[in-house]
Amino acid sequence: MNIDKIMNNVKDKHQLIHSITNYVSVNDCANIILASGASPIMADEALEMDDITNISHGLNINIGMLNQNKEKSIYLACYKANNLHHPILLDPVGVGASSYRQHFVSSLLKSIHFDVIRGNLSEIKSLVENSLTYGVDTIETITQDNLDEVIEFIKIVAKQFHCIIAISSVIDVISNGNQTYVIYNGHPYMSKITGSGCMLSALTTTYITANKNNLLEACALSFLIMAIAGEKAYDKMIDNKVGTSSYRNYLIDYVSLLTSDDIRKEANYEIR
């Protein structure tokens, strides 16, 4: 993995990342993009999607707090971004929670090409019709015991949608259908704050946008950065005897502070 080149591309190109994201975490997503060295724009009014997409370089779609107005904006932004060959990431938050979300995402996937789909395992399973046939219907958390099984499932889904599938769990798995990164970094405390997954999607969009010719490594590196930042943020939280709000701030701090040498030293991953 060419860590230096991928990180330098993000900082040097300083690209504009358009996020249509969850209102709960919109501020944190903007800050994580800034922390990486890029610039955020957080717009979801349908009337300006054409103009905003024209000036942006990448698109992050997060269906948290989905509504009919946002539906229209997502379609308009995605169609335009596809036409401009901008990288697009889809975060299908809670897609299996309602038939409304399920129908919307199913329709979206039939008409839009996404470069990356990022979610947890249950969300990715919800994207696949007859997921029971893939043999992971009872698995919700990725562990060493079920890792091989999940990797095979993710490869199938990646080939089905012709994109990278990136799953965050106890063990993160990122695959383009042929090559798969398995990441062991991270900390359980990341689930104690709202929006850590949303922030990861925003960060991943930033990295793939600046590295369009190396999407898989850029995606994997963004996961590593977030995971290592989560570990360091926890250590600092414990040292300073503070709580969850400080943890969130430390997480963003470390995304801005981590160097390529830090990542090489701390990274714990394999390629399958």
Side-chain angles (χ1 to χ4, degrees), residues 154-175:
I154 292 171
K155 285 182 177 180
I156 291 170
V157 180
K159 289 176 181 177
Q160 177 177 335
F161 293 116
H162 306 287
C163 72
I164 294 168
I165 299 295
I167 297 182
S168 49
S169 184
V170 174
I171 299 172
D172 299 330
V173 182
I174 303 105
S175 181

Side-chain angles (χ1 to χ4, degrees), residues 72-252:
K72 184 177 180 181
S73 298
I74 289 171
Y75 270 113
L76 289 170
C78 285
Y79 279 128
K80 186 70 174 183
N82 267 175
N83 288 336
L84 294 172
H85 305 291
H86 290 174
I88 315 177
L89 179 144
L90 173 65
D91 186 342
V93 177
V95 62
S98 70
S99 58
Y100 167 56
R101 287 173 189 255
Q102 189 88 47
H103 176 77
F104 172 71
V105 172
S106 177
S107 176
L108 198 62
L109 288 169
K110 290 174 183 176
S111 55
I112 302 297
H113 173 258
F114 293 95
D115 296 275
V116 177
I117 301 175
R118 191 219 70 82
N120 60 41
L121 183 57
S122 63
E123 289 163 345
I124 300 303
K125 287 193 294 184
S126 294
L127 302 180
V128 184
E129 292 183 1
N130 300 319
S131 62
L132 294 179
T133 63
Y134 293 105
V136 294
D137 51 298
T138 61
I139 299 173
E140 296 301 330
T141 300
I142 303 174
T143 66
Q144 284 286 5
D145 290 339
N146 58 43
L147 181 59
D148 291 341
E149 191 175 0
V150 171
I151 288 173
E152 290 308 308
F153 166 70
I154 292 171
K155 285 182 177 180
I156 291 170
V157 180
K159 289 176 181 177
Q160 177 177 335
F161 293 116
H162 306 287
C163 72
I164 294 168
I165 299 295
I167 297 182
S168 49
S169 184
V170 174
I171 299 172
D172 299 330
V173 182
I174 303 105
S175 181
N176 62 5
N178 297 309
Q179 191 175 55
T180 303
Y181 280 81
V182 180
I183 295 173
Y184 299 99
N185 293 100
H187 197 280
Y189 210 83
M190 297 174 79
S191 65
K192 300 294 185 182
I193 59 170
T194 299
S196 58
C198 300
M199 285 188 275
L200 176 57
S201 289
L203 184 67
T204 302
T205 306
T206 303
Y207 268 74
I208 63 171
T209 299
N211 295 277
K212 292 194 287 187
N213 295 323
N214 195 3
L215 292 176
L216 183 62
E217 284 196 356
C219 187
L221 182 56
S222 66
F223 268 64
L224 276 170
I225 290 169
M226 192 71 170
I228 293 168
E231 293 172 349
K232 290 183 173 295
Y234 180 79
D235 290 341
K236 186 170 183 180
M237 183 189 74
I238 296 301
D239 289 344
N240 292 344
K241 299 179 181 179
V242 292
T244 54
S245 181
S246 296
Y247 179 77
R248 180 191 62 198
N249 291 335
Y250 294 155
L251 182 63
I252 297 171

Side-chain angles (χ1 to χ4, degrees), residues 9-29:
N9 281 342
V10 174
K11 293 177 171 63
D12 294 344
K13 294 180 181 181
H14 195 67
Q15 292 179 312
L16 185 63
I17 307 301
H18 178 201
S19 288
I20 302 177
T21 188
N22 194 331
Y23 298 138
V24 173
S25 59
V26 64
N27 184 60
D28 290 334
C29 289

